[in-house]
């Protein structure tokens, strides 16, 4: 009895999982490319989810577009550019290095350098004036 | 500057810099994405009219004057709030509003218009959301200001109300047009 119940539960959960659309690919490379791309695009509707993770209707549409383009043999670069043209750098989890994004790219480095300078100054001073 | 003064002033300066930094960051709403379409043409499309699926609209069907392009759907709560304002402005100003019925069922879109009035010059039915994606739309309502050459000049995300209209949209449209946009009170449009 217990077994039947767990089998039923298993089947039901499989049903739930099947709600996420399944696309058919001709080759494994296509499937891999598709998976890779949907994990690199940010859902424009959500704040911090990839379109692979998001249940938003828009993400669903974008996944379908990615699927179609992968099947059409488009390259990853051209698909990412297509999305970027429409939704801006925001959709890319790996934004381009350009003036508008300098802060994003270099702020951690700048903070690191500042801390380094402070630490060096302190340590250096201690050596010069050990009596302090 | 001696060391003591630096120790005293340093943290204050850091604090002030952080205040400015967070102030700016707070004003910048991360939900409002910039449009990559500013100063570009309205993307090409071929979609049916909401009221008549036989009739196809393309980018050529758009008004040849300054107009607003409003993305809406009956499923969209804020669109219900926005709608009375659109009704008001469509009757008051000679600026065509092109509606894009975004990812909606035809019957729901039609019911919406029938019950609440039609502020639109024409309504494009974008059931699949393809035009929406080409426009970079990620929700509704969104409104684009398009000039007479079909170039997108401004995008507004969110509900248009009197404040948005008078402080944002109207000044921008006047600037594009190069002349004042006065209300006309001839007769109200709508069906």
């Amino acid at each position: 009895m217990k077994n039947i119940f767990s089998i039923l539960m298993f089947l039901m959960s499989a049903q739930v999982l099947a709600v996420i659309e399944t696309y058919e690919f001709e080759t494994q490379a296509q499937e891999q490319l598709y998976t890779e791309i949907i994990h690199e695009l940010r859902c424009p509707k959500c704040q911090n989810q990839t379109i692979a993770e998001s249940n938003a209707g828009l993400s669903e549409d974008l996944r379908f577009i990615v699927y179609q383009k992968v099947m059409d043999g488009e390259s990853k670069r051209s698909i990412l550019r297509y999305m970027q043209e429409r939704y801006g750098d925001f959709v890319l989890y790996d934004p381009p290095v350009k003036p508008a994004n300098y802060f994003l790219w270099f702020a951690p480095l700048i903070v690191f350098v500042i801390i380094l300078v402070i630490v060096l100054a302190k340590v250096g001073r201690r050596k010069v004036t050990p009596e302090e | 500057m001696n060391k003591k003064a630096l120790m005293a002033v340093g943290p204050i300066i850091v604090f002030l810099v952080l205040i400015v930094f967070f102030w700016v960051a707070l004003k910048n709403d991360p939900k409002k994405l910039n449009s990559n379409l500013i100063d570009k043409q309205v993307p090409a499309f071929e979609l049916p009219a909401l009221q008549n699926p036989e009739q196809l609209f393309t980018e050529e069907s758009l008004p040849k004057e300054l107009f607003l392009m409003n993305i809406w759907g009956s499923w969209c709560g804020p669109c219900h709030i926005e709608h009375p304002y659109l009704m008001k402005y469509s009757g008051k100003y000679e600026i065509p509003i092109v509606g894009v019925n975004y990812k909606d069922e035809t019957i729901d879109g039609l019911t919406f218009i029938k019950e609440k009035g039609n502020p639109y010059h024409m309504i494009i039915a974008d059931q699949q959301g393809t035009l929406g994606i080409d426009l970079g739309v990620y929700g509704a309502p969104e409104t684009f200001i398009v000039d007479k050459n079909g170039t997108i000049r401004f995008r507004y995300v969110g509900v248009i109300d009197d404040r948005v209209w008078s402080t944002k949209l109207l000044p921008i449209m006047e600037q594009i047009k190069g002349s004042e946009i006065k209300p006309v009170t001839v007769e109200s449009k709508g069906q």
Side-chain angles (χ1 to χ4, degrees), chain A residues 9-120:
Chain A
M9 284 305 281
F10 175 74
L11 285 176
M12 276 163 73
S13 64
Q15 276 292 299
V16 171
L17 282 175
V19 173
I20 295 170
E21 72 276 332
T22 45
Y23 293 132
E24 303 230 340
F25 296 91
E26 283 155 16
T27 67
Q28 201 158 9
Q30 284 172 338
E31 189 169 359
Q32 226 165 42
L33 183 64
Y34 168 79
T35 316
E36 197 180 310
I37 293 174
I38 61 170
H39 280 95
E40 268 181 43
L41 286 170
R42 172 141 61 154
C43 160
K45 182 82 198 158
C46 338
Q47 282 297 298
N48 225 339
Q49 270 183 316
T50 62
I51 62 167
E53 297 160 341
S54 160
N55 289 323
L58 184 59
S59 290
E60 206 176 295
D61 293 348
L62 295 182
R63 283 196 298 267
F64 184 57
I65 289 175
V66 172
Y67 169 71
Q68 281 177 321
K69 289 187 177 292
V70 165
M71 294 309 276
D72 285 348
E74 279 194 41
S75 70
K76 179 176 169 186
R77 221 175 131 182
S78 87
I79 298 173
L80 292 182
R81 195 174 55 228
Y82 172 93
M83 293 296 176
Q84 196 190 354
E85 272 166 14
R86 282 156 184 78
Y87 295 100
D89 294 343
F90 181 87
V91 286
L92 306 177
Y93 264 110
D94 190 7
V97 185
K98 64 178 191 188
N101 297 332
Y102 278 170
F103 185 78
L104 198 62
W105 276 96
F106 301 119
L109 186 72
I110 292 167
V111 170
F112 176 73
V113 169
I114 290 172
I115 292 172
L116 197 71
V117 167
I118 292 171
V119 168
L120 284 181

Side-chain angles (χ1 to χ4, degrees), chain B residues 5 26 35 44 60 64 85 88 139 155:
Chain B
L26 272 177
S35 177
E60 291 297 315
K64 301 285 179 278
Y85 292 101
K88 180 168 144 191
R155 172 203 213 176

